[in-house]
Amino acid sequence: APAGTQVHRSVVSAIESYYTYGNCNVGCPFPTGEITSDTISTARQAAADFLNCSISEVVFGPSMTSLAFQLSQTLESCINENDEIIVTRTDHDGNISPWLTLAEKCKAVIRWVEYKQDDLTWDEEQFRSIVTARTKLIAVGYASNATGTVNNVKLAVSLARQVGALCLIDAVHASPHKLLDVRDLDCDFLFFSVYKVFGPHMAIMYGRQSVLETLQPGKVRPLPATLPSAECPYASKFERGTQNHEQMAAFTAVVKYLASVGQRFAPELCSMGSVRSQLVAAFSAIGNHERELARRFLVGIVQIPGVEVYGITELAKLDHRVATFSLRKAGVSTFDLCKFLGQNRVTSSYGHFYAYELCNCLNLTEKGGWLRVGFVHYHTIEDVDYVLDLIRQAN
């Protein structure tokens, strides 16, 4: 689960349906063209429901990393020499390298948010100390894809507001576990990957409309220099070239599936006809279930000799992490442990998972990094026990 999620059958059916009945470029004055236009419009509304934003603030793209690099290029006009950009040691490199590149091009200065040695969470006091009047961008992760820590992103937003900086959140790893609400977070940008939320390999960026309107991304000349609107929901100045329409259809199916989870498991939180309320309900139920999965894993893993878990392990702090766990077992390489699990029908991953900075800082990269396992809402307590038993057996 940490490296991606399974898809619901309705997601597969949506892709098949688009290829069967649509499969045309946007704007063509015949049925398949109309289907494509409707597909984009519906997907953009689904994204707005998922993020709690307007359709004008939704940008589709191939991956979070691609969208981040596109944004970094667009922000070059906003960053001057000796301005400061803040990144964290604990992030996925997709939310570090674009801003290192931006700083290099603009001769800006990079400041790093450090981590506490005991649980690898942000050193918030140190974070506060590096925000200055020169800070122009703060880029942080909502949840660590290595340690599973849910970061205090509202602190990042607050610090950015105090000095007039932009705040950007990488929500890729948080997205299958936590409800995303950009209005509540009050960030300027937020990214997530659809393949982490039970869909295909594509990504979505939220951008605050007032900020997006001021930016001028590179684009082909015929593309309107505008944001999507009710009158024209299928064009955005930030979406370069023909988009992946079948994946948009699949994303709409993802949102419908998640809404159905809310209707089934927390109907008391659902309002009639409100997709957003159904998503709120879904993630309430998902959070409750995953918290018990995390509890079961942490209680069990500490009883296995030779295993070290990286990140928050206190049961009293389960609300500060998701059910993703990176670990090492003495005497067993992370590769061999991953292979052993795979031979027993458990898909895990090993290495740095692009949490490259943290892995290097801990001197683990050359030692094979971590073994990472994780759980989402379709896993059970029995699944957790099975994984624990395999880790116990591995030698």
Side-chain angles (χ1 to χ4, degrees):
T5 51
Q6 300 300 309
V7 304
H8 190 261
R9 65 176 62 89
S10 64
V11 175
V12 178
S13 297
I15 293 175
E16 180 183 20
S17 179
Y18 176 77
Y19 274 132
T20 302
Y21 302 107
N23 200 22
C24 180
N25 217 325
V26 67
C28 297
F30 39 80
T32 53
E34 292 170 0
I35 289 172
T36 293
S37 296
D38 289 344
T39 296
I40 299 171
S41 175
T42 303
R44 204 177 298 280
Q45 182 58 58
D49 290 333
F50 191 80
L51 293 166
N52 194 24
C53 67
S54 70
I55 62 170
S56 61
E57 298 172 311
V58 172
V59 179
F60 293 107
S63 69
M64 175 271 166
T65 302
S66 295
L67 285 170
F69 270 108
Q70 178 185 347
L71 181 61
S72 75
Q73 294 168 357
T74 304
L75 291 177
E76 287 177 17
S77 62
C78 305
I79 305 296
N80 298 314
E81 186 173 353
N82 294 323
D83 282 347
E84 296 178 355
I85 298 172
I86 294 177
V87 295
T88 86
R89 299 283 185 194
T90 59
D91 258 319
H92 186 289
D93 216 61
N95 197 34
I96 295 178
S97 283
W99 320 121
L100 299 184
T101 301
L102 175 62
E104 182 179 5
K105 287 184 177 181
C106 298
K107 298 181 180 180
V109 177
I110 290 289
R111 301 293 185 198
W112 292 90
V113 178
E114 304 293 347
Y115 56 86
K116 295 188 289 185
Q117 295 294 328
D118 57 344
D119 61 6
L120 307 182
T121 59
W122 290 349
D123 183 336
E124 293 186 0
E125 183 176 349
Q126 182 266 344
F127 190 172
R128 290 183 175 90
S129 73
I130 62 173
V131 178
T132 72
R134 289 185 175 179
T135 303
K136 294 296 182 283
L137 174 67
I138 299 177
V140 297
Y142 202 157
S144 168
N145 75 312
T147 65
T149 300
V150 176
N151 296 311
N152 186 2
V153 290
K154 286 192 174 182
L155 170 64
V157 174
S158 175
L159 293 173
R161 292 287 167 267
Q162 291 173 24
V163 295
L166 296 172
C167 188
L168 179 151
I169 297 175
D170 169 7
V172 171
H173 200 72
S175 57
H177 308 287
K178 295 186 67 66
L179 179 74
L180 300 183
D181 189 336
V182 295
R183 293 289 180 256
D184 179 61
L185 293 172
D186 196 32
C187 55
D188 297 294
F189 301 98
L190 182 143
F191 302 90
F192 75 98
S193 296
V194 176
Y195 75 94
K196 290 292 186 90
V197 289
F198 325 109
H201 284 85
M202 66 178 294
I204 295 173
M205 180 182 83
Y206 156 80
R208 188 190 299 275
Q209 181 170 341
S210 60
V211 177
L212 293 182
E213 288 174 340
T214 67
L215 299 177
Q216 300 301 321
K219 66 177 189 66
V220 294
R221 290 175 296 173
L223 182 67
T226 56
L227 301 176
S229 64
E231 294 73 27
C232 185
Y234 41 80
S236 170
K237 64 182 179 180
F238 287 90
E239 293 169 358
R240 298 171 174 175
T242 301
Q243 297 298 300
N244 197 319
H245 305 139
E246 63 273 19
Q247 292 186 355
M248 292 180 176
F251 175 67
T252 298
V254 168
V255 173
K256 289 180 179 178
Y257 161 68
L258 287 170
S260 75
V261 171
Q263 292 171 318
R264 178 178 177 183
F265 292 101
E268 70 281 1
L269 299 179
C270 297
S271 299
M272 184 66 67
S274 169
V275 174
R276 181 65 188 179
S277 75
Q278 293 161 5
L279 293 171
V280 170
F283 279 97
S284 175
I286 286 170
N288 291 337
H289 177 64
E290 290 185 1
R291 198 173 299 111
E292 294 311 306
L293 300 181
R295 184 186 305 278
R296 185 76 160 215
F297 185 85
L298 288 172
V299 168
I301 198 70
V302 298
Q303 301 175 33
I304 301 176
V307 172
E308 180 179 3
V309 177
Y310 292 76
I312 294 171
T313 57
E314 297 175 54
L315 297 181
K317 295 183 178 180
L318 286 177
D319 287 340
H320 299 282
R321 65 143 46 252
V322 297
T324 298
F325 307 94
S326 288
L327 56 92
R328 292 176 60 86
K329 185 176 183 181
V332 187
S333 73
T334 56
F335 172 81
D336 287 340
L337 186 50
C338 182
K339 184 177 180 180
F340 175 70
L341 293 178
Q343 290 169 339
N344 289 276
R345 298 178 294 107
V346 171
T347 54
S348 60
S349 50
Y350 77 98
H352 55 64
F353 333 117
Y354 292 88
Y356 186 69
E357 183 69 22
L358 180 61
C359 202
N360 283 341
C361 288
L362 295 174
N363 297 313
L364 293 177
T365 304
E366 299 303 319
K367 301 175 184 177
W370 303 277
L371 182 283
R372 183 178 63 169
V373 296
F375 307 95
V376 291
H377 71 280
Y378 51 66
H379 290 118
T380 66
I381 290 292
E382 290 74 22
D383 292 330
V384 175
D385 290 343
Y386 182 61
V387 172
L388 288 168
D389 189 51
L390 290 176
I391 294 173
R392 187 178 293 108
Q393 293 176 38
N395 56 56

